[in-house]
Amino acid sequence: MTNSTARKVTANLSLTLDGRYHGPGGPGDFAAFAPYVTSEVARDHMNLMWENATTALLGRINAEGFLGYWPSVAEDENADPRDRGYAKWLVDTEKVVFSSTLTEAPWERTRVVNAPAADVVTELKATGAGDILVNSSASIIQPLLAADLLDRLYLMIFPEIAGGGRRLFDDGLPTSTWTLTHQRTGKMGELAMVYDRAR
């Protein structure tokens, strides 16, 4: 068995009331999410999730989308300080991008892996310090839930029913118990919640 450090494996994702992480239009359909992602509660929640993290895990689609957006926010002196803080952290931190198609890393301080998420996370937990944060990438979160490797979930729940799209919690996951350690409600009814795995 691989030795493990005290590194926590954390993940963040936004969901609709019907549990979708994107709308019926496919992976780029965030119409139900748009009104809420820049709320005070959502921005404060984002700060919570990265403050102890030293490694970011991203799926290819998110990595490419984030690359097109966050580096410019890091440079924008007029950006919300919380957005800029996250952007600077993301640009500067160690990143692991999961992809079977990328041949070279899309960012500095990034490595591309084509391996099962559980294997990569087990390897990361064996060295280093600080949280390992899965950044809004359900394709990584789901296999980590299946392997019971997640220690914390940062969830935003938006008061919308998308009516279609992919769900985070599919049937067949192992049973597990989680403790609510933080919650906050926004003015539009959005909920920010932090759940820790009870072991």
Side-chain angles (χ1 to χ4, degrees), residues 111-190:
R111 67 185 171 107
V112 177
V113 297
N114 182 9
D119 293 352
V120 174
V121 164
T122 300
E123 175 192 310
L124 286 169
K125 277 179 67 76
T127 58
D131 291 354
I132 301 161
L133 171 64
V134 184
N135 261 265
S136 300
S137 297
S139 63
I140 304 169
I141 297 170
Q142 287 169 324
L144 294 182
L145 283 169
D148 197 17
L149 283 170
L150 278 182
D151 301 304
R152 176 172 288 170
L153 280 168
Y154 294 93
L155 295 177
M156 285 291 308
I157 308 296
F158 299 140
E160 304 272 344
I161 292 176
R166 299 289 302 275
R167 283 195 170 98
L168 175 62
F169 300 108
D170 282 334
D171 289 346
L173 288 173
T175 58
S176 56
T177 302
W178 298 77
T179 302
L180 181 66
T181 56
H182 174 85
Q183 79 176 64
R184 192 171 158 205
T185 307
K187 292 178 180 175
M188 295 181 287
E190 71 276 25

Side-chain angles (χ1 to χ4, degrees), residues 38-110:
T38 57
S39 73
E40 292 297 303
V41 166
R43 281 183 158 133
D44 288 345
H45 189 66
M46 186 168 65
N47 261 12
L48 272 184
M49 72 189 192
W50 66 263
E51 63 187 2
N52 295 314
T54 55
T55 304
L57 306 189
L58 296 147
R60 178 189 59 82
I61 292 172
N62 265 9
E64 291 176 344
F66 283 21
L67 177 62
Y69 180 74
W70 288 110
S72 62
V73 176
E75 301 297 322
D76 182 359
E77 293 180 7
N78 297 314
D80 184 286
R82 292 163 294 186
D83 292 356
R84 198 166 181 215
Y86 170 74
K88 285 180 170 180
W89 169 81
L90 187 61
V91 168
D92 292 342
T93 202
E94 172 195 17
K95 291 170 284 294
V96 179
V97 175
F98 288 77
S99 175
S100 59
T101 56
L102 286 177
T103 54
E104 57 185 50
W107 287 11
E108 293 179 7
R109 291 174 285 285
T110 303

Side-chain angles (χ1 to χ4, degrees), residues 23-34:
D29 180 0
F30 294 110
F33 299 72

Side-chain angles (χ1 to χ4, degrees), residues 14-23 32-33 156-164 166:
S14 297
L15 302 172
T16 57
L17 280 180
D18 53 343
R20 320 280 182 170
Y21 57 86
H22 64 68
F33 299 72
M156 285 291 308
I157 308 296
F158 299 140
E160 304 272 344
I161 292 176
R166 299 289 302 275

